[in-house]
Amino acid sequence: MPRPLGELEDAVMTRVWKWNRPVTVREVLEDLQQERSIAYTTVMTVLDNLHQKGWVRRESEGRAYRYEAVSTRAAYAAALMNDAWSQSDNPAAALVAFFGMMSEEQRQALGDAIRIVQGPETPAQPPETPAQAPETPAQPPETPAQGRETPAPEAETPPPGPGAASDGGER
């Protein structure tokens, strides 16, 4: 389970994700210096820490490294949401509360994502708002391949995020 990035780690990763190419410490430094006073060695240490945590890979280029994101910002956000949701003792209630916090634009994006995951043959239902939510959690609709006595399969666990390296080290 990924830990949230610290403020400076997030500022660095935002640039790495935005530029979507291998970057040097100097490039990140110069962009960060437009917002704050920061030393080269600080940026170098943050990128080294992000490398150790598995968020970036690096390749040597002369006496320096070029760093590249291992995963996308979307995958990072999804892993954080999954982590938070999995810690709830009532996942259905957590989702209802989460949907209630969403703007209409966010609910539309969720509907679009559901349609992508389900594929073109299954029409997606938009998420219910708290006012529309039933007292008990609704069961997923049956597909033609499921018999009435066959329980719905468990949801798949997404692959581990970049921080889930198998080296056994603390992240």
Side-chain angles (χ1 to χ4, degrees):
M1 289 184 228
R3 289 187 185 164
L5 296 170
E7 179 190 349
L8 190 51
E9 289 174 327
D10 186 68
V12 169
M13 283 305 299
T14 294
R15 284 150 178 85
V16 175
W17 282 319
K18 183 175 82 174
W19 296 335
N20 197 26
R21 61 174 173 76
V23 299
T24 64
V25 172
R26 176 78 49 206
E27 290 171 311
V28 175
L29 170 72
E30 289 172 358
D31 199 60
L32 281 170
Q33 284 179 329
Q34 295 175 25
E35 299 173 3
R36 62 177 87 192
S37 176
I38 191 165
Y40 181 94
T41 54
T42 302
V43 177
M44 183 173 61
T45 299
V46 169
L47 278 164
D48 185 60
N49 290 343
L50 289 167
H51 175 256
Q52 296 299 319
K53 292 177 180 182
W55 289 107
V56 294
R57 69 177 66 88
R58 68 184 180 193
E59 286 196 29
S60 182
E61 184 177 278
R63 293 177 45 199
Y65 288 107
R66 282 203 174 266
Y67 296 86
E68 186 173 19
V70 169
S71 189
T72 64
R73 180 178 277 288
Y76 167 67
L80 290 177
M81 288 187 287
N82 185 61
D83 185 35
W85 186 43
S86 70
Q87 293 180 31
S88 172
D89 61 349
N90 187 341
L95 283 175
V96 169
F98 181 59
F99 294 156
M101 295 176 196
M102 292 177 139
S103 68
E104 182 58 33
E105 182 180 308
Q106 289 170 320
R107 282 192 289 276
Q108 296 257 335
L110 179 60
D112 292 344
I114 290 170
R115 282 188 288 282
I116 290 168
V117 169
Q118 289 179 337
E121 68 280 350
T122 308
Q125 298 297 319
E128 296 173 341
T129 60
Q132 300 169 323
E135 296 279 328
T136 58
Q139 295 296 318
E142 289 185 318
T143 61
Q146 292 176 317
R148 294 219 180 259
E149 285 106 39
T150 306
E154 292 292 319
E156 281 190 44
T157 304
S166 60
D167 65 358
E170 181 64 24
R171 303 264 174 245

